Amino acid sequence: MANQNFGDFRDLGKYQLDAFNTATSSTAKSLRAIAEEATDYSKQSLDNSRNYFERLLRVQKIDDIVQLQSEFYRNAYGDFFARASRVGELCSNLAKEAFVSAQSAGEQAAKANQEAASKIIADISEQTEKLAAKAREAGKGEH
């Protein structure tokens, strides 16, 4: 009977491990998306900066320099906030997914705990009844 109880605990650990794996898989996907967004932004920013400096080297008038700088900074500002907004959305989605995964894992673990505890209590109750019956029979045999 004792080995059966250990099997119940092993099953309980399996449920918790499965829930953990599901949660980490979801988190890894979200973190990968954030990293890809940051990498894409870095590449785009470097390309835009390189193009800006190449164009800056060819400019011969001060007015053209001012216009080029204004255009570059306006675009850089717009790109940065667009990407920052996108990363903010991805982070928000990550937090929501993590919460849902944690909640689901908690519910699954609670259900598994309750099932395992009920089974263990039933086994202990059954064993107690058997011992009590043996004790009664032994008591009858002595009288």
Side-chain angles (χ1 to χ4, degrees):
M1 288 291 176
N3 288 338
Q4 185 178 8
N5 291 343
F6 285 120
D8 294 339
F9 285 116
R10 188 174 37 248
D11 289 344
L12 176 61
K14 179 187 168 289
Y15 291 127
Q16 292 172 341
L17 184 61
D18 289 345
F20 176 76
N21 286 338
T22 301
T24 55
S25 174
S26 174
T27 301
K29 287 177 187 176
S30 295
L31 290 174
R32 217 173 298 128
I34 292 168
E36 287 174 7
E37 190 69 30
T39 301
D40 289 345
Y41 173 71
S42 295
K43 287 178 184 177
Q44 179 187 0
S45 180
L46 286 172
D47 286 344
N48 290 345
S49 295
R50 183 183 45 81
N51 289 336
Y52 165 70
F53 283 112
E54 287 174 357
R55 289 175 60 195
L56 190 61
L57 291 173
R58 289 180 285 196
V59 173
Q60 295 180 0
K61 296 180 187 174
I62 296 289
D63 291 342
D64 292 341
I65 290 174
V66 170
Q67 181 182 353
L68 185 62
Q69 282 181 330
S70 295
E71 179 183 313
F72 173 76
Y73 289 121
R74 183 176 41 255
N75 290 338
Y77 180 81
D79 289 345
F80 173 77
F81 281 101
R83 293 293 181 132
S85 176
R86 176 72 180 130
V87 169
E89 288 176 26
L90 291 171
C91 289
S92 175
N93 290 341
L94 171 63
K96 288 175 189 174
E97 289 174 9
F99 177 76
V100 168
S101 293
Q103 186 178 21
S104 175
E107 289 170 357
Q108 288 177 356
K111 181 180 176 186
N113 285 340
Q114 185 167 358
E115 289 174 2
S118 295
K119 192 171 184 180
I120 290 168
I121 290 171
D123 288 347
I124 291 172
S125 179
E126 180 182 328
Q127 290 173 9
T128 304
E129 285 295 323
K130 286 180 182 178
L131 288 174
K134 284 182 182 181
R136 282 190 297 269
E137 286 178 21
K140 288 180 185 178
E142 291 178 6
H143 292 306

